[in-house]
Amino acid sequence: MAGGAIVNTGGGKDYPGKLTVFVFFACFVAATGGLIFGYDIGISGGVTSMESFLEKFFPEVYRKEKLDTSTNQYCRFDSQLLTIFTSSLYLAALVASFCASTVTRVLGRKWSMFGGGVVFLVGAVLNGAAKNVLMLILGRILLGIGVGFANQSVPVYLSEMAPARLRGMLNIGFQLMITFGILCANLINYGTAKIKGGWGWRVSLALAVVPAAIISIGSLFLPDTPNSLIERGHAEQAKKMLRRIRGTDDILDEYNDLVAASEESKLVKHPWANIMKRKYRPQLVIGILIPFFQQLTGINVIMFYAPVLFKTMGFGNDASLMSAVITGIVNLFATFISVLTVDKLGRRKLFLEGGVQMLISQSMVGILMAIKLGTSGEGHFSKAYSGFLVLFVCIYVMGFAWSWGPLGWLVPSEIFPLEIRSAGQSINVSVNMLFTFVIAQAFLTMLCHLKFALFFFFGAWVIVMTIFIALFLPETKGVPIEEMALVWKKHWFWCRFISDDDVHERKVEMGKPNSAF
């Protein structure tokens, strides 16, 4: 075979080709789908800490914060209605991801991104103009549908467009845009909180139309991936696209592998039933547990409740929003580190190092809060003490931003074979959104009842997930996306689920020359 160099890490072929300018810009535009998710995460926490917003929509929380000075610091923001505002988006995204699976498979990845961007834009307009809680939550549901479609299609698009040796770097562009969206939202919240007249929250919510417009318009100019074109029966277009994105005419090996994967996928009439087969058990387990564990790191507690959390720590309004901006900057730059290292160090090393770093820093935040607030929730933080808290929160965010943040989206998007890829990615997104919803809905109540022990609760889960990665996640660095089955067959545990016939059949299919070429 022309491109038959062996990839050390997984036993697959190293296809010829380079990172072309065309691929870079296509992946850059597609990755902007992460902006809508990131912007929302950042905006939600800032808006829910603005007094004018609380007074208009959640007067009970406002009175508790403003009038009852004896209220336990841990319980000041405990309101189910307030958490429904934040978490309704994730429930909507969960449901939408299943519809997005069909759209992504039948119409292609780009139209799923376009639909997500347009629906998110409508939701942003509704939120900015909200007159009551019902209007506010309806807008959040539309935002959630947009996020569900984008999160389902963007990681798959990036993994399919990228050359195998650079798949990690290009796929993490999605997480990079999420972190950039969070930072922009934090900066906007910091500015709009100072607007006189109490309407700054409207600006924060309405400006979500900007990232929505970027992905909506950008997706119209995106090319389809060769995988999607072949899957939908456009073989000639797929050949042309493959030549263009790889920057070479030597595409026979990769094209044949994509055709073989597509032919195998056509035999699957019901991908949702097929994904339950024994030979897909490794991908299914990883595809469920990675997003499950990602949410139990506790990161969304930090990111979309950062201003509220810093207020609970005793920071003032401005200080709490500024602290959220600092964590947003740290998040963005640490994700850059992941972009630069993921295809050199591999997925496992980043996962393991990030887990240890998050555990230590999370424990320190819990200890510092326990010393000052104890179980009573009464206490005051000095500037120096507050500085230490922010420092350890930033160390925690760094650990997440170069491990579980980007890799939580990268790994599930690259492990599923084409015949179950859309269904697999939907499961990934729906599990992610389900537990984001659960954590968002439960966090303020958990903070009220568990107090500082909440950080040890998440720390215990970090121990569990780090052990899981060490034992059960094989290295996927540099392995062509349609040859990932070989990785599972070589793994000490997952090999028992992959028969020799499964691997042999795939090798035979991918070794067939294509007579129509």
Side-chain angles (χ1 to χ4, degrees):
M1 292 207 175
I6 299 299
V7 177
N8 306 335
T9 51
K13 294 189 286 292
D14 187 8
Y15 301 123
K18 57 188 177 182
L19 177 59
T20 62
V21 173
F22 180 74
V23 167
F24 177 81
F25 279 108
C27 288
F28 178 83
V29 172
T32 60
L35 285 175
I36 62 176
F37 191 29
Y39 187 86
D40 183 79
I41 290 171
I43 278 298
S44 302
V47 163
T48 53
S49 73
M50 292 182 188
E51 292 182 356
S52 56
F53 177 81
L54 291 175
E55 188 176 14
K56 182 172 180 62
F57 296 106
F58 306 98
E60 182 188 340
V61 178
Y62 176 75
R63 283 194 299 273
K64 188 185 282 190
E65 180 194 1
K66 207 73 182 165
L67 306 177
D68 188 1
T69 55
S70 65
T71 298
N72 185 317
Q73 289 276 15
Y74 291 120
C75 302
R76 290 169 69 195
F77 297 91
D78 184 19
S79 163
Q80 284 302 303
L81 193 59
L82 181 59
T83 52
I84 285 171
F85 162 72
T86 301
S87 57
S88 56
L89 179 147
Y90 303 102
L91 201 58
L94 186 162
V95 176
S97 66
F98 291 102
C99 302
S101 169
T102 302
V103 174
T104 301
R105 188 177 69 255
V106 176
L107 299 180
R109 289 49 166 149
K110 63 179 284 182
W111 294 112
S112 187
M113 295 181 220
F114 174 75
V118 170
V119 175
F120 192 93
L121 193 149
V122 174
V125 171
L126 206 57
N127 269 180
K131 300 291 185 187
N132 51 52
V133 174
L134 181 63
M135 200 171 167
L136 204 61
I137 291 176
L138 182 60
R140 293 287 294 169
I141 290 170
L142 291 176
L143 295 180
I145 293 171
V147 166
F149 271 77
N151 287 10
Q152 204 280 340
S153 53
V154 173
V156 169
Y157 183 92
L158 296 173
S159 285
E160 290 181 345
M161 286 293 281
R165 61 189 176 82
L166 296 174
R167 188 174 60 243
M169 180 187 81
L170 293 175
N171 190 287
I172 289 175
F174 178 65
Q175 178 67 18
L176 193 64
M177 288 297 180
I178 291 176
T179 61
F180 184 65
I182 292 171
L183 176 60
C184 289
N186 288 336
L187 289 168
I188 288 167
N189 278 336
Y190 187 69
T192 56
K194 298 178 183 296
I195 293 176
K196 304 296 182 187
W199 50 271
W201 61 268
R202 288 194 184 277
V203 178
S204 290
L205 294 177
L207 280 176
V209 300
V210 176
I214 290 172
I215 185 57
S216 299
I217 296 169
S219 62
L220 295 175
F221 297 94
L222 287 176
D224 274 313
T225 68
N227 313 60
S228 178
L229 287 168
I230 291 172
E231 189 179 24
R232 285 154 43 223
H234 306 298
E236 286 304 316
Q237 287 179 254
K239 288 177 192 172
K240 290 177 185 175
M241 184 54 62
L242 199 55
R243 288 191 187 99
R244 190 172 184 190
I245 67 176
R246 297 295 177 249
T248 178
D249 289 331
D250 186 11
I251 59 161
L252 180 58
D253 282 350
E254 187 171 4
Y255 177 77
N256 284 338
D257 286 354
L258 295 180
V259 169
S262 177
E263 287 172 357
E264 190 171 336
S265 75
K266 287 173 184 173
L267 300 175
V268 178
K269 300 300 181 187
H270 304 288
W272 291 103
N274 210 62
I275 203 171
M276 301 303 294
K277 287 185 177 179
R278 181 179 174 84
K279 66 178 179 177
Y280 299 128
R281 196 66 46 78
Q283 295 96 321
L284 182 61
V285 171
I286 296 291
I288 290 173
L289 288 183
I290 291 282
F292 169 72
F293 284 143
Q294 188 191 50
Q295 294 314 307
L296 284 168
T297 58
I299 186 61
N300 280 348
V301 169
I302 297 292
M303 298 318 282
F304 59 56
Y305 285 122
V308 172
L309 188 61
F310 285 127
K311 261 191 173 183
T312 298
M313 291 174 178
F315 291 60
N317 269 336
D318 276 1
S320 65
L321 286 170
M322 195 63 229
S323 299
V325 170
I326 293 168
T327 57
I329 292 170
V330 169
N331 193 17
L332 179 64
F333 280 97
T335 305
F336 265 118
I337 295 173
S338 188
V339 167
L340 298 173
T341 59
V342 67
D343 290 313
K344 295 184 178 72
L345 298 177
R347 284 64 160 152
R348 281 173 53 85
K349 286 181 182 176
L350 290 178
F351 264 130
L352 296 173
E353 191 285 331
V356 172
Q357 186 171 327
M358 287 191 294
L359 175 63
I360 293 170
S361 52
Q362 228 167 9
S363 300
M364 287 305 300
V365 171
I367 290 168
L368 289 170
M369 289 188 73
I371 291 170
K372 278 294 179 184
L373 297 181
T375 55
S376 68
E378 303 290 337
H380 175 71
F381 294 89
S382 66
K383 280 190 176 181
Y385 208 87
S386 297
F388 272 112
L389 273 170
V390 174
L391 173 65
F392 283 111
V393 167
C394 287
I395 293 172
Y396 165 80
V397 169
M398 285 173 64
F400 177 86
W402 59 51
S403 63
W404 280 92
L407 301 182
W409 292 106
L410 167 61
V411 172
S413 75
E414 67 183 359
I415 61 173
F416 290 102
L418 184 63
E419 62 267 23
I420 56 166
R421 188 167 300 149
S422 290
Q425 184 64 8
S426 286
I427 289 172
N428 172 42
V429 173
S430 61
V431 171
N432 191 298
M433 293 300 126
L434 173 63
F435 285 96
T436 304
F437 170 79
V438 170
I439 297 297
Q441 195 64 27
F443 166 64
L444 292 177
T445 301
M446 289 170 73
L447 180 63
C448 185
H449 291 87
L450 292 179
K451 304 174 174 62
F452 62 83
L454 179 62
F455 294 94
F456 298 116
F457 168 81
F458 287 121
W461 278 107
V462 171
I463 294 173
V464 172
M465 64 187 74
T466 303
I467 292 171
F468 175 83
I469 292 296
L471 295 177
F472 298 110
L473 182 70
E475 183 55 70
T476 56
K477 176 184 74 170
V479 182
I481 194 168
E482 301 302 350
E483 294 198 8
M484 206 61 73
L486 300 172
V487 172
W488 307 109
K489 183 60 182 172
K490 290 183 175 183
H491 189 266
W492 72 273
F493 179 79
W494 299 120
C495 63
R496 69 195 69 186
F497 296 95
I498 313 293
S499 70
D500 291 335
D501 287 342
D502 291 333
V503 175
H504 176 69
E505 286 169 12
R506 201 161 188 91
K507 280 183 176 177
V508 169
E509 284 294 317
M510 293 190 171
K512 286 180 181 177
N514 191 277
S515 57
F517 190 83

